[in-house]
Amino acid sequence: DTEVTQTPKHLVMGMTNKKSLKCEQHMGHRAMYWYKQKAKKPPELMFVYSYEKLSINESVPSRFSPECPNSSLLNLHLHALQPEDSALYLCASSPDRSYGYTFGSGTRLTVV
Amino acid sequence: GQNIDQPTEMTATEGAIVQINCTYQTSGFNGLFWYQQHAGEAPTFLSYNVLDGLEEKGRFSSFLSRSKGYSYLLLKELQMKDSASYLCAVRSLSGNTPLVFGKGTRLSVIA
């Protein structure tokens, strides 16, 4: 298995909703990442997990809450989002932080 | 700090060759990656350079000059499906630092 799987592929949520994005990989990668990407912009780093511990939080608002239940799973919990949070959310993994990434196909999030 | 610069947009003709440049200034350097991203899709890995020189992989080649802080991605025999964004990303010397992405170059291949 050489893939990073993200679910759901599309999500529409209201500003008062709580939802979660999921990411899964079975390549034995020990570093996992959340990126946010707006249209025609490069990916922006949000969080880095290394060996299941949060190692980098790029000053992301608390309405985004990451979780790494085990070495294969990465979640992003969403609560009270704003319309400007609408974007493509990408998960990626790498053997450790010294290697290139494998990206998931992303979740297209729309906040209404 | 880190700064990665690439052209915003390029247009090339089907069957032609195009070169996408990337310059970088980073506090330490430990490799440069090129990714391809079609609209609305995830980036996919194209190439990796850590030593000076040219790496060739089919129709795609990538070049690195560490002394000049410069890389390019060369696409030969362009096809319409090559229309995409191409992202240059740099890894710093510190193994604990994630990749830093440039803003990407949107390539349009025309008939």
Side-chain angles (χ1 to χ4, degrees):
Chain A
D1 188 352
T2 57
E3 290 187 347
V4 175
T5 303
Q6 287 188 244
T7 55
K9 292 197 183 309
H10 300 275
L11 178 62
V12 179
M13 60 185 290
M15 289 188 284
T16 58
N17 290 161
K18 285 185 181 182
K19 296 287 184 183
S20 296
L21 309 185
K22 297 186 184 302
C23 174
E24 189 169 1
Q25 57 87 16
H26 296 287
M27 295 177 281
H29 289 177
R30 304 315 298 266
M32 296 184 78
Y33 313 81
W34 280 116
Y35 279 83
K36 173 183 177 181
Q37 187 175 28
K38 303 284 267 185
K40 298 185 179 180
K41 299 289 187 184
E44 295 175 23
L45 182 66
M46 298 176 73
F47 302 104
V48 179
Y49 273 83
S50 181
Y51 291 85
E52 299 156 52
K53 287 185 169 50
L54 182 65
S55 60
I56 295 177
N57 175 342
E58 290 287 326
S59 303
V60 179
S62 60
R63 58 186 184 270
F64 295 91
S65 175
E67 179 197 18
C68 189
N70 60 56
S71 60
S72 299
L73 294 175
L74 186 66
N75 298 322
L76 186 63
H77 303 297
L78 314 172
H79 173 56
L81 295 193
Q82 304 296 311
E84 58 264 28
D85 296 321
S86 299
L88 180 68
Y89 288 84
L90 293 165
C91 174
S93 71
S94 61
D96 66 30
R97 285 179 286 183
S98 299
Y99 288 82
Y101 302 168
T102 300
F103 280 93
S105 56
T107 294
R108 174 72 61 189
L109 175 68
T110 304
V111 182
V112 297
Chain B
Q2 303 187 77
N3 185 49
I4 301 173
D5 197 32
Q6 349 176 193
T8 304
E9 293 188 5
M10 298 182 72
T11 301
T13 305
E14 193 176 16
I17 298 173
V18 71
Q19 177 174 312
I20 303 174
N21 296 325
C22 172
T23 57
Y24 63 89
Q25 296 97 40
T26 59
S27 51
F29 174 82
N30 195 22
L32 186 143
F33 297 80
W34 283 97
Y35 285 84
Q36 179 191 61
Q37 186 176 25
H38 287 98
E41 299 181 10
T44 55
F45 170 79
L46 287 179
S47 69
Y48 169 63
N49 295 71
V50 68
L51 299 175
D52 291 352
L54 189 68
E55 295 281 342
E56 297 186 80
K57 190 186 296 184
R59 293 190 299 115
F60 292 15
S61 304
S62 57
F63 172 82
L64 175 67
S65 169
R66 288 172 296 172
S67 62
K68 295 181 180 177
Y70 168 69
S71 173
Y72 67 73
L73 180 69
L74 194 71
L75 293 75
K76 302 175 188 174
E77 301 169 17
L78 278 174
Q79 302 175 10
M80 301 298 283
K81 68 178 182 179
D82 297 328
S83 293
S85 284
Y86 291 85
L87 299 164
C88 173
V90 173
R91 183 174 73 199
S92 77
L93 264 179
S94 165
N96 292 326
T97 305
L99 296 184
V100 177
F101 285 87
K103 293 190 185 323
T105 299
R106 286 193 301 280
L107 174 67
S108 299
V109 180
I110 58 174

